[in-house]
Amino acid sequence: HQMDRLQHLLSVPFNLDGQKYPSTISIGMAIGQPNLEYRPADLLRDAHTAMYRAKALGKTRFEVFAAGMLTEAVNRLQLESDLITALDNQEFLLYYQPIVSLQSGVLAGFEALVRWRQKDRGFVLPSAFIPAAEETGLIMALGQWIFREACRQLRQWQELFPQHQHLTMSINLSNRQFSQPDLVTQIAAALEETQVSGECIRLEITESMVMGDVDRAFDLMLQLKSLDLKLAIDDFGTGYSSLSYLHRFPMDTLKVDKSFVGRLENSNEDRAIIHTILNLGHQLGLDVVAEVSETEAQVVMLKQAGCDYGQGYFFAKPLDHQ
């Protein structure tokens, strides 16, 4: 109960210049066992290990150290070591998931999704390595490679299929990338190198990224827009965005999270949420993309509601460039 109370107190949003910002905390705890001698360094190590376990399980929680966590920690260190050499060994590749116009059924573009294929162990799940790349900072080098490779592939398709110059490439930005000072310079250099027009690229960012420092995010988005890039808020409706700020941001697209779409057929509340997002997006002059994973009925309902685009396993799973 004491840990629950501490977690609650430390997770209360804090005020900064009159604005409320969400606060999260991950806590690890190590408890000494009777009849066993512990060095202070051992207890600190175990508490640190438990804290990382709490972060891995979704943050805003606490975990008590258990012996199995040491094995996980060793595996994590090995994963981080493998990540360092993966780029040099060319073990990363991109898969592409089609984005389809719901009204016409015509292909509108792709989203680039990174995959890691280790030469001796096969594919590593993104959910296993992306958090490690984020925490170590390796995501910045990986993100730079992803952007260049996605642009290179789009340029190649444009040359092979000149009738499809309208196709766009959606590329995710991580929290760490969004904070790096030379992001705009890197993107401009990649566009120049690959000879891809900025208007063909859609950068996907999350609500939490733009709400952390609204003024800085606004300035950065203006710089990105100066390169003619399109901007999308990913998983809209699941974060902390403020509607009072949304109209200020120079966005082009809202992406509806699949958790809402998946319950469309059975939940009046989720239907209302999607209708609200669609109305909001269109009132602000934005396109709306819905992640559709399951049934044709969902597609029909989204189309009738006026949703612009869809992507997901219903249309196609992520595919390699061939």
Side-chain angles (χ1 to χ4, degrees):
H1 293 297
Q2 290 178 341
M3 291 302 297
D4 286 331
R5 184 169 179 271
L6 179 62
Q7 188 87 57
H8 174 73
L9 290 173
L10 294 175
S11 298
V12 173
F14 61 91
N15 284 295
L16 182 62
D17 295 331
Q19 297 294 326
K20 283 190 175 183
Y21 295 93
S23 175
T24 62
I25 181 168
S26 302
I27 300 175
M29 182 192 312
I31 302 173
Q33 300 296 318
N35 306 320
L36 291 178
E37 294 184 5
Y38 287 92
R39 294 180 304 166
D42 292 337
L43 284 172
L44 286 172
R45 178 203 63 199
D46 294 347
H48 197 250
T49 300
M51 182 268 292
Y52 273 108
R53 174 65 174 171
K55 291 176 69 175
L57 291 175
K59 304 181 181 179
T60 317
R61 59 185 295 147
F62 68 87
E63 287 291 322
V64 179
F65 175 79
M69 291 182 184
L70 277 179
T71 302
E72 289 186 13
V74 170
N75 292 338
R76 178 60 176 264
L77 284 173
Q78 183 62 54
L79 175 65
E80 292 175 1
S81 176
D82 292 342
L83 272 170
I84 291 172
T85 59
L87 268 175
D88 292 336
N89 293 339
Q90 298 181 338
E91 294 178 355
F92 291 108
L93 64 159
L94 293 185
Y95 275 32
Y96 303 91
Q97 188 167 42
I99 300 172
V100 176
S101 168
L102 292 181
Q103 304 305 316
S104 66
V106 173
L107 179 67
F110 303 91
E111 179 177 354
L113 300 165
V114 67
R115 297 291 183 264
W116 180 14
R117 184 172 57 203
Q118 287 187 296
K119 293 178 180 177
D120 54 344
R121 281 178 284 182
F123 283 94
V124 181
L125 291 174
S127 58
F129 73 83
I130 292 296
E134 278 274 8
E135 290 179 17
T136 59
L138 291 169
I139 194 68
M140 290 185 283
L142 178 58
Q144 186 176 359
W145 175 84
I146 291 170
F147 189 88
R148 289 176 180 271
E149 177 63 17
C151 287
R152 186 199 63 77
Q153 183 61 71
L154 181 62
R155 181 61 179 169
Q156 184 180 80
W157 282 334
Q158 288 175 337
E159 291 173 348
L160 287 172
F161 309 103
Q163 69 274 28
H164 294 298
Q165 299 293 313
H166 66 285
L167 296 180
T168 62
M169 182 69 73
S170 295
I171 304 171
N172 293 283
L173 278 187
S174 72
N175 282 293
R176 297 291 287 269
Q177 286 178 281
F178 200 68
S179 301
Q180 69 185 82
D182 61 344
L183 176 65
V184 178
T185 303
Q186 282 190 8
I187 288 176
L191 293 173
E192 177 66 26
E193 177 187 319
T194 57
Q195 291 297 291
V196 168
S197 171
E199 63 187 12
C200 296
I201 303 297
R202 178 183 287 111
L203 293 179
E204 297 192 2
I205 57 183
T206 64
E207 296 175 74
S208 59
M209 287 161 61
V210 298
M211 295 309 298
D213 185 339
V214 171
D215 291 332
R216 182 193 171 278
F218 180 72
D219 290 340
L220 177 56
M221 285 190 283
L222 286 180
Q223 294 179 57
L224 293 170
K225 290 296 292 182
S226 73
L227 299 176
D228 296 326
L229 295 162
K230 298 181 184 299
L231 300 177
I233 290 187
D234 197 11
D235 298 336
F236 185 74
T238 62
Y240 297 97
S241 67
S242 168
L243 297 183
S244 64
Y245 283 113
L246 186 60
H247 74 280
R248 285 184 54 197
F249 296 140
M251 307 302 299
D252 300 279
T253 303
L254 298 181
K255 292 193 72 175
V256 183
D257 186 67
K258 61 176 178 276
S259 62
F260 297 129
V261 178
R263 298 188 294 264
L264 257 182
E265 296 167 81
N266 303 311
S267 170
N268 291 330
E269 291 82 0
D270 286 287
R271 279 198 291 273
I273 289 172
I274 288 182
H275 277 279
T276 300
I277 293 175
L278 284 168
N279 289 333
L280 174 64
H282 291 153
Q283 286 287 332
L284 295 175
L286 309 178
D287 295 326
V288 181
V289 181
E291 297 182 47
V292 185
S293 299
E294 299 174 14
T295 68
E296 185 175 0
Q298 293 171 1
V299 175
V300 171
M301 294 174 76
L302 287 166
K303 183 176 180 179
Q304 290 174 344
C307 187
D308 302 291
Y309 301 100
Q311 75 174 98
Y313 274 65
F314 176 81
F315 300 105
K317 65 181 182 180
L319 305 165
D320 63 28
H321 70 280
Q322 299 175 337

